[in-house]
């Protein structure tokens, strides 16, 4: 841990430029990111005072191919992006979690009580408790911390702001209490557990996996409990490509029910063919039964 005053000086002096370039790729954004980090540290200081802290980051993601195939045990190609959530964090000696996220009131959680509560579903509290509970159920240590989190990942925009948040909480738990022993794939699985069980959104695992593993990643979900994950070494710039994110000002924030309908409908089609998921079916299977599927489903 490093004192917040020292962190700010180091950032402004360029001491972490190489680290920031590794995270954000584009050298043109480094001045903005340094100012952003300094502002985040200053907000932490206003909330909790100048102190020795650590900083954690987790990116948003975009799917490249395979949208909604993860929960059907298929394959996806996804990538992390250089919009991220950053957390200024201090470990606490007790089981209390105190957390302020951009523009919201402080959340206080007793880490001794991680029970699932229906009234907390679809809340940030549910995500935090879900990650802690998921880690604890897998035999990892959990404990208290205080944090300020700010995110550039647009909320409700399909860039997985919730998965980035889950990933940064999982990473905090991994390094504060488990010496970094919770690997990226496990952090992703814990994040999905938090979102499915505690938050109440039946998402697949692609979002969390892309945020946690990072870079361009190929995932095969045929064995959903042990997905095959591989980073893809592909330099977009070398081939004249760029991944561009456009803010259309749309929002997915109130679409949980609509989202849940997609895997439900896909599983209904699979059930028609006597299967639990669509893995193994071909386009010919679907087209040759299209009329019956439309009539019955």
């Amino acid at each position: 841990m490093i004192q917040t005053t020292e962190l700010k000086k180091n950032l402004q002096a360029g001491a972490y430029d190489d680290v920031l370039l590794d995270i954000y790729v584009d050298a043109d954004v480094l001045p903005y990111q340094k100012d952003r980090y300094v502002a985040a540290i200053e907000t932490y200081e206003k909330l909790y005072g100048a102190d020795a802290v650590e900083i954690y980051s987790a990116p948003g993601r975009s799917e490249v191919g395979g949208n909604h195939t993860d929960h059907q045990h298929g394959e996806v190609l996804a990538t992390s992006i250089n919009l991220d959530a950053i957390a200024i964090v201090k470990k606490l000696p007790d089981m209390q979690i105190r957390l302020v996220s951009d523009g919201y009131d402080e959340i206080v959680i007793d880490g001794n009580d991680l029970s699932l509560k229906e009234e907390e579903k679809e809340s940030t509290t549910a995500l935090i408790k879900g990650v802690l509970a998921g880690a604890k159920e897998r035999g990892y240590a959990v404990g208290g911390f205080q944090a300020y989190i700010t995110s550039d990942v647009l909320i409700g925009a399909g860039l997985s702001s919730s998965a980035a948040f889950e990933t940064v909480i999982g990473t905090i738990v991994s390094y504060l209490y488990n010496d970094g022993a919770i690997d990226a794939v496990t952090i992703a699985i814990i994040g999905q557990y938090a979102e499915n069980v505690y938050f109440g959104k039946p998402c697949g695992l692609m979002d969390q996996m892309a945020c946690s593993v990072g870079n361009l990643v190929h995932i095969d979900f045929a064995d959903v409990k042990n997905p095959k994950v591989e980073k893809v070494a592909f330099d977009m710039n070398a081939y004249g490509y760029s991944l561009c994110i456009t803010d259309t000002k749309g929002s997915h924030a109130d679409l949980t029910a609509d989202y849940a309908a997609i895997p439900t409908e896909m599983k209904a089609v699979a059930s028609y063919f006597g299967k639990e998921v669509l893995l193994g079916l071909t386009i010919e299977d679907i087209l040759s039964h299209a009329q019956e599927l439309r009539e019955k489903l």
Side-chain angles (χ1 to χ4, degrees):
M1 290 196 177
I2 304 176
Q3 288 289 331
T4 51
T5 50
E6 184 179 350
L7 275 172
K8 288 188 292 183
K9 288 179 182 176
N10 289 345
L11 279 161
Q12 291 164 333
Y16 306 128
D17 282 6
D18 287 346
V19 176
L20 294 174
L21 186 59
D22 186 48
I23 296 171
Y24 299 106
V25 182
D26 183 359
D28 290 340
V29 305
L30 292 194
Y32 161 75
Q33 290 296 349
K34 287 193 280 189
D35 289 345
R36 177 180 174 232
Y37 274 72
V38 169
I41 294 166
E42 289 176 343
T43 301
Y44 176 93
E45 289 175 328
K46 289 176 184 176
L47 292 166
Y48 301 116
D51 216 333
V53 298
E54 295 180 354
I55 302 179
Y56 296 90
S57 162
R61 71 96 190 99
S62 177
E63 68 264 39
V64 179
N67 195 8
H68 286 290
T69 58
D70 50 348
H71 50 66
Q72 297 303 303
H73 300 192
E75 299 182 56
V76 301
L77 186 64
T79 183
S80 58
I81 59 176
N82 63 351
L83 302 173
D84 67 342
I86 60 172
I88 316 299
V89 185
K90 178 188 177 182
K91 185 177 182 178
L92 295 179
D94 53 25
M95 291 296 289
Q96 190 174 72
I97 295 93
R98 306 180 69 90
L99 185 144
V100 176
S101 190
D102 262 345
Y104 294 93
D105 294 334
E106 183 182 54
I107 294 170
V108 180
I109 296 171
D110 180 359
N112 293 303
D113 179 14
L114 299 176
S115 59
L116 174 64
K117 293 182 171 64
E118 286 296 319
E119 64 271 19
E120 291 176 348
K121 285 196 169 180
E122 297 193 31
S123 71
T124 304
T125 296
L127 291 179
I128 298 168
K129 288 178 66 175
V131 171
L132 292 168
K136 189 174 182 180
E137 287 176 13
R138 286 161 179 77
Y140 295 105
V142 300
F145 59 88
Q146 61 191 24
Y148 169 68
I149 295 180
T150 180
S151 181
D152 269 357
V153 185
L154 300 172
I155 296 173
L159 299 176
S160 295
S161 57
S162 59
F165 184 86
E166 294 151 13
T167 299
V168 81
I169 297 296
T171 306
I172 289 168
V173 171
S174 177
Y175 281 90
L176 287 188
Y177 288 100
N178 297 277
D179 297 321
I182 311 180
D183 63 272
V185 171
T186 302
I187 287 174
I189 291 169
I190 289 170
Q192 184 200 23
Y193 169 82
E195 192 149 349
N196 288 176
V197 178
Y198 276 71
F199 189 84
K201 181 177 179 179
C203 66
L205 186 55
M206 176 184 69
D207 296 355
Q208 291 81 3
M209 198 70 80
C211 292
S212 186
V213 174
N215 295 309
L216 191 64
V217 60
H218 165 250
I219 314 163
D220 185 342
F221 291 101
D223 180 355
V224 73
K225 292 185 178 179
N226 298 286
K228 294 180 181 178
V229 183
E230 60 175 341
K231 287 190 178 182
V232 179
F234 178 73
D235 184 353
M236 287 191 179
N237 290 332
Y239 291 87
Y241 288 101
S242 293
L243 176 68
C244 300
I245 305 298
T246 302
D247 182 3
T248 64
K249 308 302 180 185
S251 176
H252 295 179
D254 297 322
L255 296 181
T256 296
D258 301 88
Y259 181 96
I262 295 171
T264 299
E265 291 171 7
M266 293 173 86
K267 287 182 178 179
V269 173
S271 180
Y272 175 88
F273 291 97
K275 295 176 171 286
E276 290 188 8
V277 293
L278 293 176
L279 178 68
L281 293 176
T282 67
I283 187 67
E284 289 77 17
D285 292 330
I286 303 299
L287 292 179
S288 64
H289 293 81
Q291 184 174 342
E292 304 98 288
L293 289 168
R294 292 192 181 106
E295 289 172 356
K296 293 189 176 183
L297 305 177

